[in-house]
């Protein structure tokens, strides 16, 4: 039986005013002749017949691949990969699709979370992106993590992206001869040196990774570990050894970052000498390309050039790859060239850890807000990172101040929150993740309620980029979805661009993004409000919609009568549809 579908379609023709904006290069579909119209059309879609042919799954009971609920025993499903994971499913069903979490979560993987079971717990807990930090862990160690995540994606329908973070040319301490930490007491004399010791590190001696260390530093300089967690003053230099007296006692952690300060200012000479991407980083980047990571986050970016260089390197090494480059904003230099850096990148990270070691701490909140807003204008995803729930490394609940900090990021509508030590080596990784999830959900709801009567105005696209017709269609679709209180926006997108633009409009309902490859799906999983699916869709929107409705209904994620707003990068149209 053919269901009766109400579809109202807004088609944008070249005579409609927004077409007078920038010429677009987006859709190959010719513009229809008609003017803007709202048409009530005859039933558009036929239901797809139950389950069609082709892919045999190894063990259907383990996967979350869609199957109509009335055919539980069939192992053949009709699409190559139209998968949904348990975390998404629970979030969509729990309080209705409109209350799905919009803010994404990046978890740094470390010794506490590198096993398959621990990674699975993070996946089920809502992790969207797994970050591996190349400061730590061997290629072998990181490969295991990548393999586990891949397995979770393949077997459980998750779309967890892998983000590889470069070490960058910061100055940092060595491994402490294998110790997990070392305590420096007030007034103690410690030696910092470029000598390396392996496991026979003399007492109160720290090796430093930067050869020019002893030359650059002067007697009287202050040496800050991790932005001030421990503080020393330089009292003497003897050859390669720098003798320091501890003035602020604390715990030294392996490979902790070092900065030095003279007369109250950061000494930056050594930064200028060091390349943003070191030779170790290039080897790690080759490794990342070979492993097919989804994102490479570049530490201590100073200029747009390095981002452009890396992007062309990736394109030449692996033309088919879809690796996105994220600029970490964590140095004074990066702040000077912020616009160009973000424009050249595929996204940015407000890396507050190192940033707070380079600029006065009281400046970090305004810098954060500025970067988040700029990224939104330029349509680039943005992650806010470091110390969001620092106390949860040791304690099972966060401080009230930490909850307020997370809330502020959610209120700013950044794309993603990130856990570092909390998930890498803390005692409560799952609890920290649960806090990010519940605070996000609560604050998002609160913001939606608060703006109920406000007029919807998406931020202007910066004059340095133009979103053209696709951008206007997405803003329009988001506006309509808000006005009509739609259950969801649907976007069919080949490259992900149209989904990004919808996300940028920060609509009140979730955005179901259908992409033809799992790599685009994973990449979209970093972005605000997107619920990405992998669907092998065609140019025939009628059949795409039929197929999608059928699959999502079978899973109980939408139901008859739900109002859906549909856009795609194949047609310049906005459709308003009641699910049959
Ligand atoms: N792969 C790893 N192996 C061991 N420890 C790790 C790893 N990744 C992260 N960690 C631990 O988690 C802490 C926080 O992670 P992160 O913020 O990524 O690193 P860092 O503090 O070095 O910038 C690190 O200081 C380190 O103690
Ligand atoms: C995220 C950051 O970088 P990393 O953890 O690699 O130092 C930071 O400095 O805040
Ligand atoms: K790093
Ligand atoms: Mg950093």
């Amino acid at each position: 039986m053919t269901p009766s579908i109400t579809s109202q379609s807004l088609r944008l023709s070249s005579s409609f005013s927004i077409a007078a904006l920038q010429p677009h290069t987006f859709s190959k579909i010719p513009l229809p002749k008609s003017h803007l119209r709202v048409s009530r059309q005859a039933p558009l879609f036929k239901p797809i017949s139950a389950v069609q042919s082709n892919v045999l799954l190894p063990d259907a009971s383990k996967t979350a691949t869609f199957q109509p609920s009335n055919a539980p025993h069939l192992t053949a499903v009709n699409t190559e990969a139209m998968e949904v994971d348990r975390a998404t499913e629970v979030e969509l069903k729990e309080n209705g699709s409109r209350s799905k979490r919009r803010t994404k979560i990046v978890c740094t993987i470390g010794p506490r979370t590198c096993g398959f079971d621990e990674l699975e717990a993070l996946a089920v807990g809502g992790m969207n992106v797994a970050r591996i930090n190349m400061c730590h862990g061997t290629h072998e160690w990181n490969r295991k993590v990548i393999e586990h995540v891949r397995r979770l994606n393949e077997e459980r329908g998750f779309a967890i992206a892998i983000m590889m973070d470069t070490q960058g040319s910061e100055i940092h301490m060595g491994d402490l001869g294998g110790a997990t930490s070392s305590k420096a007491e007030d007034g103690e004399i410690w030696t910092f040196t470029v000598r390396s010791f392996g496991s026979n590190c003399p007492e109160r001696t720290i090796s430093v990774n930067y050869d020019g260390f002893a030359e650059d530093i002067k007697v009287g300089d202050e040496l800050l570990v991790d932005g001030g967690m421990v503080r020393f003053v330089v009292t003497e230099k003897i050859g390669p050894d720098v003798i320091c007296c501890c003035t602020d006692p604390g715990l030294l952690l392996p490979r902790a970052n070092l900065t030095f300060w003279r007369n109250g200012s950061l000494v930056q000479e050594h930064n200028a000498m060091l390349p943003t991407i070191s030779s170790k980083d290039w080897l790690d980047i080759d490794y990342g390309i070979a492993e097919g990571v989804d994102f490479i986050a570049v530490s201590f970016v100073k200029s747009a050039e390095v981002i452009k260089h890396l992007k062309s390197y990736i394109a030449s090494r692996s033309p088919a790859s879809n690796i996105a480059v994220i600029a970490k904003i964590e140095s004074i230099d990066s702040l000077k060239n912020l616009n160009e850096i973000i424009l050249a990148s595929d996204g940015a990270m407000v890396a507050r850890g190192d940033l707070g070691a380079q600029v006065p701490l009281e400046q970090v909140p305004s810098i954060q807000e500025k970067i988040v807003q700029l990224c939104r204008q330029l349509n680039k995803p943005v992650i806010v990172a470091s110390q969001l729930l620092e106390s949860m490394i040791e304690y099972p609940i966060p401080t009230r101040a930490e909850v307020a900090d997370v809330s502020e990021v959610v209120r700013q509508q950044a794309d993603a929150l990130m856990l570092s030590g909390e998930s890498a080596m803390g005692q409560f990784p799952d609890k920290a993740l649960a806090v990010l999830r519940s605070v996000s959900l609560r604050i998002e709801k609160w913001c939606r309620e608060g703006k109920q009567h406000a007029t919807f105005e998406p931020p202007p696209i910066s004059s340095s980029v133009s979103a053209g017709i696709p951008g206007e269609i997405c803003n329009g679709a988001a506006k309509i979805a808000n006005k009509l209180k739609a259950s969801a926006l649907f976007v069919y997108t080949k490259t992900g661009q149209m989904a990004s633009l919808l996300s940028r409009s920060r609509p009140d309902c979730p955005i179901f993004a259908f992409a033809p490859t799992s790599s685009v799906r994973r990449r979209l999983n970093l972005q605000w409000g997107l619920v990405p699916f992998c669907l092998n869709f065609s140019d025939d929107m009628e059949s795409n919609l039929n197929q999608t409705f059928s699959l999502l209904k079978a899973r109980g994620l939408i139901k008859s009568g739900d109002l859906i707003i549909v856009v795609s990068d194949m047609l310049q149209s906005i459709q308003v549809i009641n699910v049959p």
Side-chain angles (χ1 to χ4, degrees):
M1 207 179 78
T2 306
S4 75
I5 296 175
T6 321
S7 162
Q8 300 171 39
S9 159
L10 304 176
R11 290 191 190 278
L12 302 171
S13 83
S14 50
S15 57
F16 179 56
S17 60
I18 64 166
L21 294 171
Q22 298 290 324
H24 70 106
T25 52
F26 206 73
S27 170
K28 294 196 180 69
I29 307 283
L31 291 168
K33 297 262 159 49
S34 61
H35 289 246
L36 172 71
R37 67 167 196 262
V38 179
S39 64
R40 193 169 271 276
Q41 299 182 345
L44 256 178
F45 314 109
K46 294 172 218 86
I48 54 163
S49 52
V51 187
Q52 297 151 8
S53 77
N54 47 39
V55 181
L56 284 172
L57 295 167
D59 178 355
S61 65
K62 278 214 181 117
T63 75
T65 303
F66 279 119
Q67 294 187 37
S69 50
N70 60 359
H73 304 300
L74 291 174
T75 51
V77 293
N78 82 324
T79 59
E80 261 134 57
M82 171 79 170
E83 297 172 323
V84 69
D85 58 84
R86 212 153 78 71
T88 302
E89 193 170 7
V90 167
E91 282 194 359
L92 282 170
K93 285 181 177 172
E94 223 162 35
N95 305 304
S97 73
R98 280 176 68 92
S99 63
K100 165 91 180 69
R101 171 171 52 93
R102 314 299 156 81
T103 313
K104 300 304 179 77
I105 303 176
V106 182
C107 297
T108 303
I109 307 306
R112 188 82 198 187
T113 39
C114 60
F116 183 80
D117 293 347
E118 288 77 20
L119 282 163
E120 186 182 25
L122 291 178
V124 171
M127 164 172 71
N128 303 102
V129 178
R131 168 182 179 256
I132 49 176
N133 187 349
M134 303 313 279
C135 285
H136 311 278
T138 60
H139 284 182
E140 280 317 305
W141 186 95
N142 284 303
R143 184 170 294 122
K144 270 264 165 293
V145 172
I146 296 173
E147 276 170 16
H148 289 332
V149 172
R150 289 264 154 74
R151 206 178 120 199
L152 283 164
N153 287 347
E154 276 159 25
E155 294 182 2
R156 309 288 167 92
F158 289 102
I160 297 164
I162 301 277
M163 177 178 293
M164 188 192 94
D165 195 318
T166 63
Q167 174 168 316
S169 297
E170 54 165 357
I171 302 180
H172 61 83
M173 316 187 325
D175 274 331
L176 301 178
T180 50
S181 66
S182 235
K183 181 89 206 304
E185 302 284 0
D186 198 18
E188 270 180 4
I189 302 298
W190 284 69
T191 302
F192 289 78
T193 178
V194 295
R195 299 178 215 253
S196 50
F197 302 99
S199 55
N200 304 316
C201 192
E203 226 194 328
R204 291 186 200 157
T205 303
I206 299 284
S207 59
V208 176
N209 73 325
Y210 166 52
D211 287 342
F213 180 70
E215 284 126 72
D216 284 5
I217 203 161
K218 292 198 169 124
V219 170
D221 284 354
E222 277 200 302
L223 185 63
L224 269 63
V225 180
D226 261 345
M229 296 304 281
V230 189
R231 193 181 290 250
F232 296 88
V233 63
V234 179
T235 54
E236 200 182 351
K237 291 193 343 181
I238 310 173
D241 301 338
V242 176
I243 315 298
C244 300
C245 176
C246 180
T247 52
D248 276 343
L251 218 51
L252 301 167
L253 297 172
R255 291 174 182 256
N257 162 279
L258 297 174
T259 46
F260 44 104
W261 295 66
R262 195 168 297 152
N263 307 319
S265 303
L266 181 77
V267 179
Q268 285 225 73
E269 282 104 69
H270 57 275
N271 281 357
M273 307 299 297
L274 299 170
T276 301
I277 301 182
S278 68
S279 20
K280 175 198 187 290
D281 291 339
W282 283 115
L283 296 180
D284 290 341
I285 286 164
D286 282 344
Y287 163 86
I289 294 172
E291 292 294 325
V293 301
D294 301 293
F295 297 95
I296 295 180
V298 186
S299 294
F300 297 98
V301 172
K302 293 180 216 167
S303 68
E305 273 56 54
V306 74
I307 299 285
K308 291 178 189 160
H309 181 49
L310 175 56
K311 285 183 68 100
S312 62
Y313 181 78
I314 295 170
S316 69
R317 289 301 289 256
S318 176
S321 85
N322 198 16
I323 301 175
V325 174
I326 303 290
K328 290 175 69 188
I329 309 300
E330 53 181 343
S331 64
I332 292 175
D333 295 311
S334 64
L335 294 176
K336 287 183 201 142
N337 304 314
L338 199 57
N339 244 56
E340 299 77 32
I341 291 174
I342 292 176
L343 263 177
S345 312
D346 302 307
M349 183 194 295
V350 189
R352 305 186 305 181
D354 284 294
L355 191 59
Q358 298 218 356
V359 303
L361 283 179
E362 60 274 18
Q363 287 178 21
V364 175
S366 57
I367 293 171
Q368 171 184 315
E369 183 165 329
K370 181 176 160 192
I371 299 170
V372 170
Q373 282 174 359
L374 186 60
C375 285
R376 178 97 178 273
Q377 257 188 7
L378 300 179
N379 191 30
K380 309 283 181 175
V382 60
I383 305 157
V384 176
S386 293
Q387 297 187 344
L388 285 161
L389 298 174
E390 189 77 359
S391 75
M392 290 192 78
I393 291 177
E394 280 182 79
Y395 300 101
I397 56 161
T399 67
R400 281 55 176 162
E402 286 165 343
V403 171
D405 180 41
V406 174
S407 301
E408 180 58 14
V409 179
V410 175
R411 220 183 45 78
Q412 287 170 359
Q413 297 188 307
D415 289 84
L417 299 156
M418 188 169 110
L419 295 176
S420 295
E422 302 94 327
S423 54
M425 50 74 162
Q427 294 193 51
F428 305 99
D430 301 333
K431 288 200 161 104
L433 178 57
V435 169
L436 291 190
R437 204 181 53 218
S438 57
V439 174
S440 297
L441 277 168
R442 186 68 197 87
I443 300 299
E444 288 164 4
K445 182 161 182 277
W446 182 53
C447 291
R448 279 196 300 276
E449 287 165 0
K451 74 162 213 193
Q452 241 167 30
H453 305 291
T455 49
F456 174 88
E457 262 328 308
I461 293 245
S462 154
S463 55
S464 41
V465 284
S466 169
I469 292 177
E472 294 301 334
I473 289 178
C474 288
N475 277 344
K479 212 166 183 167
I480 293 170
N482 289 357
K483 280 250 177 219
L484 299 181
K485 299 198 170 14
S487 298
L489 276 147
F490 278 20
V491 54
Y492 295 81
T493 177
K494 289 189 170 154
T495 60
Q497 167 76 357
M498 201 76 169
S500 285
L501 286 167
L502 266 186
S503 162
R504 181 184 173 278
S505 297
R506 302 293 195 259
D508 292 343
C509 65
I511 305 156
F512 288 29
F514 304 97
T517 65
S518 45
S519 105
V520 174
R521 180 181 177 222
R522 288 193 302 272
R523 211 172 132 159
L524 293 178
N525 207 8
L526 176 65
Q527 298 189 31
W528 192 97
L530 296 183
V531 186
F533 297 95
C534 187
L535 180 72
N536 199 2
F537 60 82
S538 68
D539 284 347
D540 176 359
M541 279 303 287
E542 177 180 338
S543 105
N544 293 337
L545 282 165
N546 260 328
Q547 184 185 22
T548 321
F549 286 155
S550 174
L551 291 166
L552 291 172
K553 275 168 72 178
R555 200 82 197 178
L557 300 180
I558 55 168
K559 56 184 188 317
S560 291
D562 283 353
L563 188 71
I564 308 288
I565 313 295
V566 185
V567 299
S568 84
D569 56 20
M570 296 166 297
L571 287 174
Q572 292 188 353
S573 71
I574 299 173
Q575 288 177 294
V576 183
I577 300 175
N578 279 107
V579 175

